Amino acid sequence: MAKQTVAEQFVDILARAGVKRLYGVVGDSLNPVVDAIRRTSAVEWVQVRHEEVAAFAAGAEAQITGRLAACAGSCGPGNLHLINGLFDAHRSMAPVLALASHIPSSEIGTSFFQETHPDQLFQECSHYCELISTTRQMPRVLQTAIQHAVGRSGVSVVALPGDVAGEPAPERAEEHALVTSRPTVRPGDAEIAQLARMIDGAGKVTLFCGSGTAGAHAEVMELAEKIKSPVGHALRGKEWIQYDNPFDVGMSGLLGYGAAYEATHECDLLILLGTDFPYNAFLPKDVPIVQVDVRPEHLGRRSTLDLAVWGDVRETLRCLTPLVAEKKNRRFLDRMLKKHADALEGVVKAYTRRVDKHVPIHPEYVASVLDEEGADDAVFTVDTGMCNVWAARYLTPNGRRRVIGSFTHGSMANALPQAIGAQLTDRRRQVVSMSGDGGFSMLMGDFLTLVQYNLPVKVVLFNNSSLGMVELEMLVAGLPSYGTDNHNPDFAAIARAAGAYGVRVEKPKQLRGALRDAFKHNGPALVDVVTDPNALSIPPKISADMVTGFALSAGKIVLDGGVGRMVQMARSNLRNIPRM
């Protein structure tokens, strides 16, 4: 019986760690591993057209499932293409194992054809990055890489020369049980007691939530009810905290809306829950701040803290809430709820006027209809740029929907690749890529991957023929827009030529029917919606201070648009305010 090769052992360990598929592009040094996959049913090879797409897809799969996902690139240029998607996965805390195959081991260090040093190149976007230079390092290096990716929620990279991958695996290889999930982290009693005293001593408390509140919705609501606290969120916290939230005051940050900014600045104590919110200009300078985070390196790196609490949000609140005294005064909460509702209602009017006749189509209207027509458990992948704005303002979370984007790394062209990874986890679940024309055209070659695997991803293309967010940035900086216009083809015609369903929408009355037809189609579909490139014109009555640096939330200052059904939610929350 033939001995197992290192490549076969590599694939077996991935399968044992729960990896279902390996995304990549075949080639030279990677061939032994791909051939090992060909001969097993445990791991599927997913052929993409660009390795960057492979890394984005793996990152999305990891975010959807919570399990380890994997991608691969061949030596030199092949694995270099992984780096942008790996940066995104790492900053999104998605457990991803990347295989960077390498040139022949005997040639390393000689400037051989396609030689790079992946064990050095990927250091910045990984928790662990090592070269396997001999067969005796297997399987320990791979197992260690898996433990880092899963245990620290991020990327691990293993560089493996093609010749080593093809050699026989060592006898009696040391294998051990693998970590496949993370434990909860409970803060110490002293920190919990101190936080309880700070809450009891503060008249007005605001909770500001990020993605670390995933799985802690009930605990956040219980604490907010007990201490009568407004609850705001960052963009990555939206899907976890906005739904069924009678304390919601919206979102802060560059894409913010509602009263979240005021709630965080007018309180006596601000508690940051599971957020590494990067925009410290939006955080108060004269309010005591407490931060709760499972990653200790996040504590205090955005703002000066009065208390740092190292712990899982859900476990922390379970310990904390019974210790705090119930507050009776809800005047601050009620005032913020009213501010929030008024703010939303004011901007909604801007987008509802003659929306059914406006050509080119309001992008706000497209997002609003998409929200209404999308499935209750849909996965929305969102391109960086203006699609982030529309997703933040119009997609309605409900505890079942997912919204994934390059929210921390901020890369263009992420939505389509992430939709591939999301759809492969469940072909029956609706997956919608909210793509901008700039992002889609950057990696549109992998639309062919949808066709090749008959993935029923629905690409809704917000086609304003411009790099809208860049244009906005130039305007805010006082610069004329330049280099932001795109000369686009008929993307729907390209989709049809590729063998997918494609329809172009130029009038508002065509939109709802086009979306419904695309969603009914049993396969990949693209809806090319021609949207208004002037949707983000700056309102005329605005101070220079408000423009510079986005001193307040962009929703109040820059964006001329509405917020969909959120205004209904805000108004319904006002019913909780006692009538005097």
Side-chain angles (χ1 to χ4, degrees):
M1 181 177 179
K3 291 181 62 174
Q4 187 181 48
T5 66
V6 168
E8 291 168 334
Q9 186 182 56
F10 193 101
V11 173
D12 285 350
I13 293 172
L14 289 186
R16 196 156 57 87
V19 171
K20 302 298 183 184
R21 52 194 63 85
L22 188 64
Y23 301 88
V25 178
V26 299
D28 46 66
S29 57
L30 191 56
N31 290 341
V33 174
V34 176
D35 188 63
I37 292 175
R38 178 184 64 83
R39 291 179 280 107
T40 181
S41 60
V43 177
E44 176 188 6
W45 174 257
V46 179
Q47 176 187 348
V48 296
R49 304 304 174 103
H50 194 295
E51 289 91 349
E52 182 178 350
V53 172
F56 270 122
E61 178 182 326
Q63 291 179 70
I64 291 292
T65 65
R67 298 191 307 264
L68 182 70
C71 58
S74 59
C75 64
N79 63 57
L80 278 179
H81 286 158
L82 294 170
I83 196 163
N84 192 49
L86 293 183
F87 260 105
D88 183 79
H90 195 55
R91 290 176 170 173
S92 300
M93 296 179 65
V96 171
L97 187 285
L99 168 59
S101 65
H102 207 352
I103 64 171
S105 57
S106 61
E107 304 299 333
I108 294 174
T110 68
S111 295
F112 191 71
F113 176 65
Q114 294 188 323
E115 181 176 6
T116 59
H117 291 86
D119 52 316
Q120 300 174 30
L121 286 165
F122 293 99
Q123 290 284 350
E124 190 178 351
C125 64
S126 65
H127 291 304
Y128 183 86
C129 183
E130 288 294 342
L131 168 67
I132 295 178
S133 54
T134 76
T135 62
R136 303 300 299 179
Q137 289 176 268
M138 277 287 288
R140 288 185 298 162
V141 167
L142 179 56
Q143 290 171 160
T144 303
I146 290 170
Q147 310 292 52
H148 276 76
V150 174
R152 299 185 64 184
S153 294
V155 170
S156 284
V157 180
V158 173
L160 178 63
D163 60 316
V164 176
E167 292 180 13
E171 297 281 358
R172 298 177 182 175
E174 297 179 17
E175 296 188 12
H176 55 73
L178 295 169
V179 171
T180 56
S181 62
R182 296 185 65 191
T184 57
V185 178
R186 182 193 184 281
D189 291 339
E191 287 78 14
I192 293 174
Q194 184 178 353
L195 178 52
R197 289 192 297 270
M198 293 176 73
I199 292 173
D200 289 345
K204 300 174 292 183
V205 182
T206 293
L207 306 180
F208 186 72
C209 304
S211 61
T213 57
H217 184 275
E219 287 75 13
V220 173
M221 296 303 108
E222 183 182 3
L223 177 62
E225 170 62 37
K226 194 168 186 180
I227 64 175
K228 309 301 183 284
S229 170
V231 177
H233 59 268
L235 178 55
R236 291 190 66 201
K238 173 185 172 73
E239 62 178 325
W240 306 114
I241 215 67
Q242 188 190 36
Y243 69 95
D244 295 340
N245 181 356
F247 314 100
D248 177 48
V249 292
M251 189 175 89
S252 190
L254 296 178
L255 311 182
Y257 56 81
Y261 182 90
E262 288 86 348
T264 57
H265 283 69
E266 297 179 24
C267 59
D268 301 322
L269 177 65
L270 173 61
I271 303 177
L272 307 176
L273 295 175
T275 178
D276 189 35
F277 184 67
Y279 305 110
N280 53 16
F282 291 87
L283 295 173
K285 300 292 191 294
D286 55 354
V287 173
I289 299 177
V290 174
Q291 184 177 0
V292 179
D293 206 291
V294 75
R295 300 274 289 260
E297 65 270 25
H298 289 180
L299 296 170
R301 71 176 180 180
R302 309 299 183 194
S303 60
T304 301
L305 299 182
D306 294 82
L307 178 63
V309 180
W310 180 11
D312 173 84
V313 171
R314 184 180 183 186
E315 190 66 22
T316 299
L317 297 191
R318 282 180 171 179
C319 298
L320 171 69
T321 302
L323 300 182
V324 301
E326 183 172 2
K327 296 185 185 296
K328 303 299 182 182
N329 186 339
R330 54 175 292 150
R331 283 196 295 271
F332 175 61
L333 170 60
D334 293 342
R335 183 162 60 87
M336 290 300 113
L337 290 175
K338 187 169 190 313
K339 271 183 177 269
H340 179 59
D342 290 345
L344 296 192
E345 213 159 65
V347 291
V348 162
K349 294 174 184 176
Y351 118 89
T352 52
R353 290 193 296 266
R354 295 175 54 83
V355 68
D356 60 334
K357 298 179 181 178
H358 185 91
V359 177
I361 303 170
H362 280 307
E364 303 96 327
Y365 177 66
V366 180
S368 179
V369 174
L370 175 60
D371 179 56
E372 294 170 3
E373 296 295 331
D376 288 342
D377 65 343
V379 177
F380 295 92
T381 60
V382 183
D383 259 344
T384 296
M386 295 319 306
C387 285
N388 267 200
V389 179
W390 314 137
R393 289 163 172 262
Y394 291 92
L395 294 185
T396 306
N398 57 13
R400 298 172 62 202
R401 284 178 165 181
R402 295 297 313 274
V403 181
I404 294 176
S406 187
F407 299 140
T408 304
H409 185 48
S411 172
M412 282 183 66
N414 61 285
L416 174 62
Q418 289 176 329
I420 292 171
Q423 191 72 83
L424 280 167
T425 66
D426 185 351
R427 287 177 173 268
R428 296 168 298 178
R429 189 174 187 180
Q430 186 183 82
V431 176
V432 180
S433 172
M434 292 178 63
S435 297
D437 56 289
F440 179 76
S441 59
M442 183 177 282
L443 287 174
M444 66 185 293
D446 267 277
F447 188 79
L448 301 177
T449 301
L450 300 184
V451 177
Q452 181 166 332
Y453 288 92
N454 194 31
L455 294 176
V457 169
K458 315 306 177 189
V459 178
V460 179
L461 188 59
F462 288 72
N463 184 1
N464 64 0
S465 297
S466 73
L467 301 178
M469 183 62 79
V470 178
E471 186 169 325
L472 177 61
E473 291 166 352
M474 289 178 171
L475 292 171
V476 168
L479 302 172
S481 60
Y482 181 76
T484 58
D485 293 337
N486 292 330
H487 180 68
N488 289 330
D490 183 338
F491 288 109
I494 291 177
R496 292 192 296 270
Y501 179 92
V503 60
R504 186 173 173 91
V505 177
E506 297 181 348
K507 296 181 180 179
K509 290 183 178 180
Q510 301 170 334
L511 177 64
R512 195 177 297 271
L515 288 175
R516 288 179 177 176
D517 290 344
F519 288 165
K520 290 176 185 175
H521 179 69
N522 185 25
L526 184 145
V527 182
D528 181 6
V529 187
V530 180
T531 59
D532 187 355
N534 299 312
L536 289 179
S537 57
I538 298 177
K541 294 182 180 180
I542 162 178
S543 71
D545 287 343
M546 292 169 73
V547 175
T548 303
F550 290 87
L552 291 176
S553 76
K556 293 185 172 182
I557 303 166
V558 180
L559 305 181
D560 180 14
V563 285
R565 285 185 281 172
M566 284 188 286
V567 70
Q568 300 172 14
M569 183 188 305
R571 279 297 169 199
S572 68
N573 285 343
L574 291 182
R575 298 170 191 160
N576 297 320
I577 299 178
R579 302 298 177 190
M580 303 302 292

